Amino acid sequence: MGSYRVCCCFTRKFKVTEADPPPDVKEAFGKYSDGIHMTADQLRRFIVECQSGDGVSISDVERIVEQVLHKRHPITSLINRKTFTLEDFHHYLFNSDLNPPIISQIHQDMNAPLSHYFIYTGHNSYLTGNQLSSPCSEVPIIKALKRGVRVIELDLWPNSSKDNVHVLHGRTLTTPVELIRCLRSIKEHAFTASPYPVIITLEDHLTPELQAKVAQMVTDTFGEMLFCHNSGKMKELPTPESLKYRILISTKPPKEYLEAEEDKRTKSQRVKDSGEDDVWGEEPSRAVAYKDKNDKYESDESFIDHDVDDYDLKRSDSCPAYKSLIAIHAGKPKGGLVEALEVEKDKVRRLSLSEQGLEKAAEHHGQQIVRFTQKNILRIYPKGTRFTSSNYKPLVGWLHGAQMVAFNMQGYGRSLWLMHGMFRANGGCGYVKKPDFLMTSGPNNEVFDPKAKLQVKTTLKVKIYMGDGWHLDFKQTHFDTYSPPDFYTRVGISGAPGDEVMRKTKPMEDNWTPVWNEEFVFPLTLPEIALLRIEVHEYDMSEKDDFAGQICLPVSELRPGIRAVPLCNRKGDPYASARLLMRFEFVPNES
């Protein structure tokens, strides 16, 4: 019983009750049981026929029955009860550990080159907060690795005495962290969440002497974990499977840094005039709006990552030990964007574009980007004016085949929720196989056109039955001081432009266990890249609605049938109890 005081004069009492099983659950129980009890064999038949559980064995199902009964009836489970009642069946379906909405194992082919995968990528991985003044630390690196992030970015700068290397965001007030602490943390936590390779992208602002010091640190720290391609630039990238438990370094060779710096200086005035001084490693002195009345497409070259900064151009020496560590070479050919997107026959490389650079390049060169990413690595990074560590829409990069869509992992919000959703796929291992449409070529060598108008491939039907668990995760007055919450759910799709939509249920008044029983239909042209967005809010008539949970799920991994969907907080961490009961159904397009 919960009591809410109203106007200091009287109280309102509400009882937290357990909602009855939805009609669909009752119908399923009646069909697959004797009407009173459901045996393990009957449960298995339900899972195979209604939940697409072809691979489930009778022993698996017996373990499920045992777990549910032991949790619900710890005493009676000891007297050999082996069957479900309707309530037991409902509790099983509403258990997100036993009946999750997506595949929880690594199941994709991991023997294709790295360019065939979306890779979970961090931006400025050492920052704890904003881009201008937050402390640098190894802690956010550890958090990212534990979440499954596979690409860690470090900015390398000399310390004040020029005899050691610090990691920090250059030309800002961010306080540094020693490089060696970051490297040791990566070694310790690299494979906590995934056995697949960790790629360290280095942004280097060092002298040859300090580069030699970095080479020694990296070699001493990682030892045999380090993957080096001794014969120079690779013709094809290795596979995630062949790189299990390996560390790769990706940066520009020292000589190319010098050439790029000279090239940058000759263009500096033009870049400044364009109002888009967003070269990697620099932050503009003031926020600049993306759209500028003088902005010309020809200035796109200013959006290409030159990976450089100010240091002595007169030096001619480079560090061969440092260069030999580079497994994935970064850089671009001389010239503009068209030249940068050329696919070279005998080598692979990594190219970086800002988020604006990608959007503007996509206007004219969408198919060239797709063709480039079939063999090479494309990294997208946030524009420099995102001082608060906010993020951008990742679907633009993924739709063009960009493998490394780099995000500020501390920049909590809807964009980051989408990133979390994409990399829940493939068992959360940090590598998600790109859809075939991004990797195949037609008879005339044509590739996927991201601007093409597409036909509906399949329709996803989503039914939201009910929710529960908030009364266990939140204080009684968290959502409303005077009564239980009025929950509603928003559900929709992020993906191809034609697929994007959001819908919502009606609010259920004064109920900790809301029952909606509403169905939504989503036609999908590219289900392979779509994400199902789910948010729960508490309706507030006089103020902004309260947040009550969210999750994003890859549509391609959804398991048909009635499923328990766990909810997460704003940071993407799961709540202990809050969850939804939903049903997913795919209807192929008949045309």
Side-chain angles (χ1 to χ4, degrees):
M1 182 74 71
S3 297
Y4 295 83
R5 183 171 294 278
V6 182
C7 299
C8 302
C9 301
F10 61 92
T11 60
R12 303 171 69 194
K13 293 185 177 181
F14 296 88
K15 188 176 182 181
V16 178
T17 58
E18 184 174 329
D20 288 337
D24 289 356
V25 174
K26 293 179 180 178
E27 181 182 343
F29 184 80
K31 180 178 180 181
Y32 289 93
S33 71
D34 63 8
I36 300 175
H37 295 101
M38 176 183 279
T39 65
D41 190 60
Q42 291 169 329
L43 177 60
R44 181 182 179 277
R45 192 160 64 89
F46 164 78
I47 293 173
V48 170
E49 295 179 10
C50 299
Q51 306 281 95
S52 299
D54 294 337
V56 67
S57 67
I58 189 64
S59 59
D60 294 331
V61 176
E62 287 173 348
R63 281 193 292 270
I64 289 173
V65 172
E66 184 179 346
Q67 287 183 54
V68 172
L69 294 179
H70 180 71
K71 185 174 182 179
R72 295 203 70 227
H73 315 284
I75 303 300
T76 56
S77 65
L78 298 177
I79 57 175
N80 276 333
R81 182 182 160 195
K82 300 293 184 183
T83 59
F84 275 176
T85 63
L86 171 61
E87 289 71 24
D88 297 327
F89 179 60
H90 182 219
H91 274 263
Y92 154 67
L93 291 175
F94 218 165
N95 186 315
S96 58
D97 293 324
L98 298 177
N99 186 35
I102 63 173
I103 303 166
S104 57
Q105 295 83 29
I106 298 170
H107 60 92
Q108 296 177 353
D109 174 22
M110 304 302 287
N111 287 294
L114 290 176
S115 57
H116 291 222
Y117 300 84
F118 297 129
I119 309 173
Y120 208 172
T121 301
H123 171 256
N124 288 355
S125 304
Y126 48 86
L127 286 179
T128 57
N130 68 63
Q131 302 286 309
L132 298 180
S133 60
S134 66
C136 302
S137 169
E138 71 277 16
V139 172
I141 296 173
I142 295 170
K143 288 182 178 178
L145 291 170
K146 287 183 175 181
R147 190 177 280 278
V149 172
R150 299 290 86 192
V151 182
I152 299 295
E153 188 203 6
L154 303 177
D155 288 9
L156 309 184
W157 293 81
N159 65 356
S160 57
S161 57
K162 312 294 184 185
D163 62 355
N164 207 342
V165 180
H166 278 168
V167 174
L168 74 155
H169 198 195
R171 299 197 180 98
T172 67
L173 300 177
T174 56
T175 54
V177 59
E178 289 184 347
L179 172 62
I180 191 63
R181 289 174 61 182
C182 297
L183 297 179
R184 288 171 178 167
S185 296
I186 293 171
K187 179 182 180 181
E188 183 178 353
H189 299 280
F191 306 109
T192 302
S194 168
Y196 291 105
V198 168
I199 302 170
I200 305 174
T201 58
L202 298 179
E203 171 126 12
D204 166 15
H205 311 275
L206 305 175
T207 63
E209 293 75 20
L210 287 179
Q211 286 178 341
K213 191 161 190 171
V214 169
Q216 191 65 49
M217 280 189 206
V218 169
T219 303
D220 291 345
T221 302
F222 298 120
E224 293 184 357
M225 296 170 66
L226 197 63
F227 174 84
C228 299
H229 190 71
N230 297 324
S231 59
K233 294 183 179 179
M234 291 182 283
K235 294 182 179 180
E236 184 179 67
L237 290 163
T239 72
E241 190 67 29
S242 69
L243 294 171
K244 272 186 171 180
Y245 303 105
R246 304 299 293 273
I247 305 288
L248 286 74
I249 303 296
S250 179
T251 186
K252 276 188 176 180
K255 181 180 177 182
E256 293 188 28
Y257 269 107
L258 300 178
E259 292 173 351
E261 175 67 14
E262 289 173 338
D263 186 51
K264 188 187 88 170
R265 290 192 175 188
T266 61
K267 299 184 178 101
S268 61
Q269 186 59 46
R270 182 164 70 95
V271 173
K272 181 178 179 181
D273 291 344
S274 74
E276 298 289 359
D277 190 5
D278 196 9
V279 177
W280 181 251
E282 294 186 0
E283 294 286 355
S285 58
R286 57 186 175 85
V288 181
Y290 168 41
K291 296 294 183 183
D292 188 277
K293 63 181 181 180
N294 297 317
D295 193 20
K296 303 292 185 184
Y297 176 73
E298 289 74 21
S299 69
D300 276 352
E301 193 174 346
S302 67
F303 296 115
I304 299 174
D305 179 10
H306 294 278
D307 285 319
V308 294
D309 231 293
D310 295 328
Y311 51 86
D312 187 8
L313 286 175
K314 295 180 180 179
R315 69 185 195 189
S316 57
D317 299 329
S318 63
C319 176
Y322 181 82
K323 185 174 181 180
S324 69
L325 297 179
I326 304 172
I328 302 175
H329 286 240
K332 72 174 190 70
K334 288 186 176 180
L337 183 63
V338 173
E339 291 80 6
L341 291 173
E342 287 182 354
V343 179
E344 299 174 77
K345 183 178 180 181
D346 295 325
K347 64 179 179 181
V348 292
R349 56 191 167 86
R350 173 173 67 84
L351 176 70
S352 291
L353 291 175
S354 69
E355 60 177 285
Q356 309 107 303
L358 173 67
E359 290 179 3
K360 298 190 76 178
E363 293 176 14
H364 300 271
H365 302 294
Q367 288 180 283
Q368 289 94 318
I369 299 171
V370 172
R371 183 173 282 108
F372 178 85
T373 58
Q374 289 183 344
K375 180 179 180 181
N376 301 280
I377 299 287
L378 179 61
R379 183 178 187 271
I380 310 302
Y381 60 94
K383 61 184 178 182
T385 52
R386 293 190 179 276
F387 302 134
T388 61
S389 294
S390 63
N391 288 300
Y392 51 99
K393 186 178 179 181
L395 273 303
V396 179
W398 292 330
L399 195 61
H400 288 80
Q403 296 87 350
M404 296 182 180
V405 178
F407 260 39
N408 297 307
M409 294 300 164
Q410 76 280 30
Y412 306 119
R414 286 191 171 97
S415 293
L416 189 58
W417 298 348
L418 295 177
M419 180 67 66
H420 291 164
M422 169 61 82
F423 290 100
R424 287 189 174 97
N426 201 23
C429 73
Y431 286 83
V432 175
K433 195 82 157 48
K434 287 160 61 170
D436 288 342
F437 70 81
L438 287 172
M439 297 307 304
T440 55
S441 299
N444 299 314
N445 201 33
E446 68 270 20
V447 296
F448 171 72
D449 182 1
K451 285 189 171 183
K453 190 171 182 180
L454 304 169
Q455 297 295 317
V456 171
K457 287 184 182 178
T458 189
T459 297
L460 172 63
K461 293 184 177 181
V462 176
K463 189 165 187 179
I464 306 174
Y465 293 113
M466 58 187 296
D468 198 3
W470 289 282
H471 65 288
L472 301 174
D473 291 332
F474 295 93
K475 292 181 179 179
Q476 179 179 302
T477 55
H478 177 86
F479 297 105
D480 196 320
T481 306
Y482 305 112
S483 65
D486 307 327
F487 289 127
Y488 67 91
T489 297
R490 300 180 70 236
V491 61
I493 299 292
S494 279
D499 295 345
E500 299 204 331
V501 66
M502 285 299 289
R503 301 280 186 258
K504 68 177 181 178
T505 67
K506 296 177 181 178
M508 297 303 297
E509 294 185 3
D510 297 341
N511 204 325
W512 282 101
T513 54
V515 176
W516 296 287
N517 282 321
E518 293 190 40
E519 186 173 71
F520 302 90
V521 178
F522 302 110
L524 300 173
T525 61
L526 288 178
E528 303 95 330
I529 207 167
L531 295 168
L532 180 68
R533 292 179 52 197
I534 302 167
E535 298 177 13
V536 180
H537 298 269
E538 196 271 336
Y539 175 73
D540 196 318
M541 185 180 298
S542 59
E543 299 177 9
K544 184 178 179 181
D545 292 354
D546 295 315
F547 173 83
Q550 61 81 23
I551 194 168
C552 289
L553 300 169
V555 168
S556 62
E557 303 256 324
L558 286 175
R559 304 167 71 200
I562 301 171
R563 302 290 175 183
V565 178
L567 294 175
C568 301
N569 62 21
R570 293 180 186 274
K571 293 184 177 182
D573 301 320
Y575 289 127
S577 304
R579 65 204 186 281
L580 301 174
L581 187 66
M582 304 177 68
R583 187 188 70 202
F584 307 115
E585 180 185 357
F586 289 95
V587 181
N589 187 26
E590 296 180 356
S591 62

